[in-house]
Amino acid sequence: MKFDTSLASFSLALIGAISGWLAWWINNEKLNKQIATQKAVPIATKAVNEERDFVHLRNNQKDISNGIAIGFNEMDRRFDSIDKELLEQKAWLIRTKSPHE
């Protein structure tokens, strides 16, 4: 059996080409994943920031609503107090009104 150099060189070239293609393909997949991650990070960061801002706005709206409710409760309390004082003054005026008038 004679050693065929052309077959050996073809086999080595084929193995080298397949190895090179395989190495390129693996590196290309890694690069694609890295690029996809780099593109996804700003999008995810933006989404997180938007969610945080929305939560802050919602909490601020709740605080404003609570403040308005407290303000209206305080106004009701003051109006009730004023109404009570006016009734007392009216009753005092009716009692102290002279019968000759």
Side-chain angles (χ1 to χ4, degrees):
M1 178 166 185
K2 193 172 186 186
F3 182 72
D4 189 7
T5 56
S6 62
L7 182 62
S9 62
F10 176 75
S11 298
L12 285 174
L14 184 63
I15 290 171
I18 291 173
S19 298
W21 177 82
L22 188 60
W24 172 84
W25 184 73
I26 290 171
N27 287 333
N28 191 33
E29 287 298 311
K30 287 179 184 178
L31 180 64
N32 288 340
K33 286 180 185 178
Q34 184 180 12
I35 290 171
T37 302
Q38 288 174 349
K39 287 181 181 179
V41 166
I43 294 169
T45 303
K46 182 180 177 188
V48 168
N49 290 339
E50 288 173 352
E51 178 67 23
R52 186 193 68 228
D53 291 345
F54 179 76
V55 169
H56 283 302
L57 289 173
R58 187 177 60 210
N59 289 339
N60 288 344
Q61 183 65 35
K62 285 179 184 178
D63 291 343
I64 290 169
S65 296
N66 288 339
I68 290 171
I70 290 170
F72 277 119
N73 288 340
E74 180 64 21
M75 285 174 46
D76 283 343
R77 187 190 64 77
R78 288 183 182 187
F79 284 139
D80 289 343
S81 175
I82 291 170
D83 189 36
K84 189 181 210 182
E85 287 180 27
L86 286 174
L87 283 174
E88 288 173 0
Q89 290 176 4
K90 185 177 178 182
W92 183 80
L93 286 173
I94 290 173
R95 268 188 292 141
T96 59
K97 191 175 186 183
S98 72
H100 299 297
E101 292 182 18

